[in-house]
Amino acid sequence: MTTGQPGTGKARPTPGGSDAEIRSAAASASGTPAQPARTADAVSGDSPEETVGGQSRSSDGGATGATSTSDPKPSKNGVVKKDAGAGKSGDRIGNAAKDGTESAAATSDSTTSSPAETDSTTVAPKDSAPATTRTDGAPAKDGEGGRTEDDAAGSKESPPSAPRRWWRWTGKGKRAGKTASLVKTDGATKTDGADKPVEPDRWEAFASAPEPRPSIVTRSGRAVGRFLIHEWTLAALCSLALAVLMTWPTLRYPRYTLPQDYWDPSLQAWQMAWSGHILLADPARLWQSNTFFPELWSFAFSDTLLGYAPAGMLGSGPEDALLRYNIMFVLAHALATFGAYALARQLGAGRIGAAVAGVSYTYAPWLLAQAGHLHVLSNGGIPLALAMLARGHGWSLRHGYRPERRHDGWVYAGWLVAAWQLSLGFGIGLPFAYFLAGAVLVAVVLFYARRLRTRQAVPFGRRLFLADLLGGLFFAGVGLLMAYPFYQVTELHPYAERTIADVSIFSPPASGFVTAPAESRIWGGLHEGARAALPWHPEMTLLPGFVLYALALGGLFFSVWRLRHRLLLLAGVLVTMAFAMGTRFFDGTLTYVPLFEHVPGWSGLRTPGRLMLWTTLLLGLLAAGAVTALTDRVRELTAQRIPSWPGPWLRMATLLPLLLVTVEGLNTTPHPVVPTQPAAMRSAQGPLLVLPSNQSLDQHVMLWSTSGFPDVVNGGSGFTPRQLDDVRRVSQSFPDQTSVDYLRTLGVRTVVLLRGQVPGTPWEITIDTPVESLGISRQDVGDAVVYRL
């Protein structure tokens, strides 16, 4: 009796059944055709074998199996041991189950001497018809198959020519199937014949717990948090906070005070109230306002601030009109800062450099003299629209044209904001419209010039072209709709057109570019003598800031912008300064006068100094380039330091330009209390006339008329209609028969005479004169006398 110990060269007994029978049964069980029977000397397939003493020996000296077909003889302990030289398959038994199917436990081709303790049996599938034999020659029991593990593995997973020993070494692990073999340390294998569940990996207990799915509240909170810390959110909030501080105390008593003075701001407060009221009540009557009765197109006698009409829909009465005006005054500053910041960022400036551009654009000292002109301060739509258009076209000053960044949505938004800016008034909007037209023309020329130079199709896209086409048409349509009423006004009142003589009155000299207005906290007192030399200093003190001048000058030599871009910005600064001088720059023959005479609508602009707005924006971009280069250099120096100290101090030093620009924009703007609405105005029936009447007082009357918007003869604007002049002249003798008849002819039914305004006027004597003989009635209402015609 031999046991086949490893390395001894002794053969071990083979099962009584032949190899052919076993393979035939395996093939029948697996549903594949049976292979031809093989002799024992070709079973292994590992390498050429030699037969020594009735045994088959491989080339490496290990016994691969016995060729005898006699019955096996058990060993002393009743178990036929496996041939260790065959590869110790006990630890590498393949799982016969594959793709979710069950199979019996497979063993190596070693067998046991009794059914109670087997070494290698296979179980045929349930649907196999013929019963097979066990490896010990006895008939297989129910549930047992007649093939070995290697045969099963070879028929299901390995190609027919695959070596058996190789497959045993590369078979699947015992945990891969539902039935596992229990391996003994002496090489014998026990099978329990039952399925056992796969046990979880013992190291899974140390794995991190899966992250729980956040709730909708948590996800919403995170989204809000990301929104609040986004750059544009922070920029908007900082712009708003800075606007509140820099315009203080505008919001301290917003229902009773107005910044700068209470004349033009009263007019503009009425404009917002009227547009909001009439668009809700009777939109067809928008341009036929309740003032300047009975004039037509009276709402177009000055810039309309029509873009603020949605705000005018909230509230009613003079106090709400003042509150609305003060809020929009602060928001206009915030929008200007945010818009210039966005433009500088889009062009390639850093955050601090863009902040310098935004603050210098909004709080330039020369703009402090315009605090009473909301239509001039409402300029934030200009840089914001330019930033959106540049973003939509994938263009920046620092990086050039990047087609992959194109987005037609931003183009639509840019044209929409541009149209909104134009609706606020032509004083600022008309130069902006011509700038956009020129920019489109230059962009088209450069686009095709680049295509001809490179001989390649520069990507643009139909969607972007369609966005520009539709957006440009919408912008032009808004401009034409806004221009038509003004055209009608010039037809009805030809004397309302400006002349070169009017422009000369408001044209500033070159000294105005270094002279600050009286409202500047830093330079106002120091420049008092220089202002005295200016004929009309509110429109001639055009200092954009000495700090801004210095930063822009530094930006010519040290900047993130390319040299050609710096030179273009410098050229823009010089050209806009020349145009802002009006007729003071060589009599304007090469600058302002050709525009005045040949460009449609330009004759309505009588204050060329307001073109300083473009000069300030270009200076701010030059300064942004310099500050960005400074911050980039500081960041590099800080990164090179080991340790990084004093890195934080260097980074704080980059905020110094922003601090200086902000300090130079501090103001001493007065906030006078607006005259209270007379009680008689609250109940007076229109059409009515309020006396005394002049340009300044009539603007208060317009504000008071926001209580119900009765038709009033009074009105203040950029020009005075001749009919209103006649009313003022004839009513000097009121109440008398001539004035009463004339007012009745116009349709006036009520006259309100303000006692507080009559000292020093002809009405000081006639205010208490009896009127029964004139066929009118007289009644004292508060501090006014009401005459009913």
Side-chain angles (χ1 to χ4, degrees):
M1 180 176 64
T2 60
T3 57
Q5 297 297 327
T8 61
K10 296 181 180 181
R12 59 182 178 179
T14 58
S18 65
D19 231 348
E21 293 176 348
I22 299 175
R23 294 190 178 277
S24 176
S28 175
S30 60
T32 59
Q35 300 293 331
R38 294 188 299 176
T39 58
D41 58 345
V43 171
S44 173
D46 287 339
S47 61
E49 299 176 349
E50 57 180 352
T51 304
V52 180
Q55 297 179 2
S56 176
R57 183 178 298 276
S58 64
S59 59
D60 59 358
T64 60
T67 60
S68 174
T69 58
S70 59
D71 293 337
K73 296 181 180 180
S75 61
K76 294 181 179 180
N77 55 4
V79 178
V80 179
K81 295 185 178 179
K82 288 182 60 180
D83 184 5
K88 298 182 180 180
S89 62
D91 290 330
R92 290 174 294 276
I93 298 175
N95 190 353
K98 184 178 181 182
D99 299 331
T101 61
E102 285 191 42
S103 64
T107 62
S108 66
D109 49 1
S110 300
T111 59
T112 61
S113 59
S114 64
E117 189 172 357
T118 64
D119 228 5
S120 176
T121 60
T122 57
V123 179
K126 295 180 180 180
D127 57 351
S128 62
T132 57
T133 59
R134 301 194 320 181
T135 56
D136 58 358
K141 294 183 179 181
D142 293 339
E144 293 181 352
R147 60 173 179 167
T148 62
E149 175 200 6
D150 294 342
D151 294 331
S155 64
K156 299 187 72 172
E157 297 188 24
S158 65
S161 60
R164 293 176 64 193
R165 183 196 297 179
W166 171 85
W167 187 250
R168 283 199 301 269
W169 279 90
T170 58
K172 296 182 180 179
K174 60 186 178 180
R175 290 186 181 272
K178 294 183 178 180
T179 305
S181 299
L182 301 178
V183 182
K184 297 176 65 175
T185 56
D186 60 352
T189 306
K190 287 186 177 181
T191 57
D192 54 5
D195 294 343
K196 289 187 177 180
V198 178
E199 298 179 358
D201 190 352
R202 57 183 176 179
W203 299 108
E204 291 182 359
F206 297 94
S208 58
E211 184 177 356
R213 178 178 175 84
S215 63
I216 187 173
V217 177
T218 303
R219 294 197 301 270
S220 301
R222 291 176 180 176
V224 172
R226 288 192 298 268
F227 173 77
L228 292 178
I229 64 175
H230 196 277
E231 176 186 356
W232 298 116
T233 304
L234 295 177
L237 293 177
C238 290
S239 299
L240 182 59
L242 184 64
V244 173
L245 294 176
M246 295 294 285
T247 60
W248 191 260
T250 299
L251 295 182
R252 185 177 184 181
Y253 303 109
R255 290 180 175 271
Y256 310 102
T257 63
L258 285 172
Q260 187 78 351
D261 56 57
Y262 44 59
W263 294 299
D264 284 353
S266 295
L267 163 65
Q268 292 166 347
W270 165 82
Q271 288 174 331
M272 284 189 285
W274 167 255
S275 60
H277 160 75
I278 200 63
L279 288 178
L280 291 176
D282 186 8
R285 197 189 157 196
L286 171 63
W287 299 102
Q288 318 301 331
S289 72
N290 70 311
T291 60
F292 294 99
F293 178 84
E295 295 285 353
L296 301 176
W297 307 101
S298 55
F299 192 51
F301 284 179
S302 58
D303 279 339
T304 61
L305 294 175
L306 186 59
Y308 290 149
M313 298 177 182
L314 305 176
S316 62
E319 290 187 358
D320 288 344
L322 296 179
L323 174 64
R324 184 186 306 113
Y325 178 90
N326 285 318
I327 291 176
M328 300 311 298
F329 179 82
V330 175
L331 292 179
H333 285 80
L335 181 62
T337 305
F338 181 80
Y341 176 88
L343 178 60
R345 286 289 285 156
Q346 173 59 31
L347 295 182
R351 291 182 176 87
I352 299 178
V356 169
V359 173
S360 64
Y361 176 75
T362 308
Y363 303 103
W366 76 272
L367 281 169
L368 298 178
Q370 304 292 332
H373 301 143
L374 184 58
H375 62 291
V376 178
L377 299 178
S378 299
N379 51 55
I382 295 176
L384 184 59
L386 294 178
M388 289 179 172
L389 290 173
R391 171 67 179 87
H393 289 85
W395 185 84
S396 70
L397 195 63
R398 190 173 184 179
H399 306 289
Y401 178 55
R402 292 178 288 181
E404 67 277 4
R405 292 179 174 264
R406 293 169 297 166
H407 196 289
D408 58 323
W410 285 110
V411 175
Y412 285 114
W415 285 112
L416 183 63
V417 173
W420 173 80
Q421 176 66 53
L422 187 62
S423 70
L424 294 177
F426 283 112
I428 298 299
L430 189 64
F432 176 48
Y434 283 114
F435 173 83
L436 282 179
V440 170
L441 180 61
V442 171
V444 171
V445 171
L446 293 178
F447 181 83
Y448 283 102
R450 181 178 178 182
R451 172 175 291 187
L452 293 176
R453 186 178 67 254
T454 61
R455 297 186 180 276
Q456 294 179 355
V458 182
F460 191 80
R462 295 181 179 179
R463 293 180 59 181
L464 202 61
F465 175 78
L466 183 63
D468 281 321
L469 180 62
L470 296 179
L473 290 176
F474 178 76
F475 177 79
V478 171
L480 292 176
L481 290 176
M482 291 286 298
Y484 180 76
F486 290 92
Y487 173 78
Q488 293 295 327
V489 170
T490 57
E491 288 291 319
L492 295 174
H493 309 278
Y495 51 88
E497 293 190 43
R498 314 298 183 184
T499 63
I500 289 293
D502 296 329
V503 175
S504 299
I505 295 175
F506 298 100
S507 295
S511 61
F513 296 120
V514 292
T515 305
E519 291 82 4
S520 174
R521 184 177 294 274
I522 304 298
W523 308 113
L526 298 175
H527 292 180
E528 184 175 359
R531 286 194 304 273
L534 299 176
W536 189 261
H537 65 82
E539 297 290 346
M540 296 182 179
T541 51
L542 302 179
L543 174 67
F546 290 112
V547 175
L548 184 60
Y549 275 143
L551 293 174
L553 181 62
L556 293 175
F557 304 97
F558 180 69
S559 176
V560 295
W561 312 132
R562 294 183 178 90
L563 178 59
R564 67 175 183 272
H565 294 154
R566 285 177 260 168
L567 295 178
L568 286 175
L569 290 174
L570 176 61
V573 168
L574 298 178
V575 169
T576 52
M577 279 185 167
F579 279 97
M581 292 178 66
T583 59
R584 294 295 185 100
F585 185 80
F586 297 102
D587 295 330
T589 54
L590 299 177
T591 55
Y592 202 86
V593 173
L595 296 178
F596 187 88
E597 293 178 346
H598 301 292
V599 176
W602 204 274
S603 59
L605 308 180
R606 64 173 180 173
T607 52
R610 294 174 182 176
L611 292 176
M612 194 64 186
L613 188 71
W614 294 91
T615 306
T616 307
L617 181 59
L618 296 175
L619 288 172
L621 293 178
L622 276 172
V627 175
T628 301
L630 174 64
T631 55
D632 290 348
R633 183 57 180 163
V634 167
R635 190 178 297 108
E636 293 174 1
L637 292 176
T638 303
Q640 294 172 2
R641 289 175 176 266
I642 302 177
S644 62
W645 188 88
W649 296 103
L650 286 176
R651 293 181 180 178
M652 290 182 63
T654 60
L655 297 175
L656 184 60
L658 177 60
L659 179 62
L660 294 177
V661 169
T662 305
V663 170
E664 198 172 20
L666 295 176
N667 66 85
T668 59
T669 302
H671 288 73
V673 178
V674 180
T676 307
Q677 179 190 33
M681 288 287 296
R682 301 170 189 169
S683 57
Q685 299 295 322
L688 62 90
L689 170 66
V690 179
L691 297 175
S693 174
N694 56 51
Q695 175 72 13
S696 300
L697 293 178
D698 281 3
Q699 291 174 337
H700 294 158
V701 175
M702 298 172 79
L703 175 63
W704 296 336
S705 71
T706 55
S707 293
F709 293 95
D711 290 333
V712 294
V713 179
N714 306 74
S717 68
F719 78 100
T720 302
R722 288 179 178 175
Q723 183 172 275
L724 181 57
D725 271 339
D726 293 340
V727 171
R728 290 172 178 172
R729 177 177 50 81
V730 172
S731 61
Q732 293 285 330
S733 59
F734 184 86
D736 65 348
Q737 193 64 48
T738 302
S739 59
V740 170
D741 292 342
Y742 179 75
L743 293 177
R744 283 175 174 171
T745 302
L746 292 179
V748 177
R749 294 292 177 262
T750 306
V751 176
V752 178
L753 185 58
L754 304 177
R755 289 184 177 272
Q757 302 293 334
V758 298
T761 66
W763 298 285
E764 186 177 8
I765 300 174
T766 60
I767 190 172
D768 294 322
T769 302
V771 295
E772 287 79 3
S773 61
L774 300 175
I776 61 176
S777 62
R778 177 181 178 278
Q779 180 183 6
D780 289 328
V781 180
D783 194 27
V785 180
V786 178
Y787 299 89
R788 292 181 174 84
L789 308 184

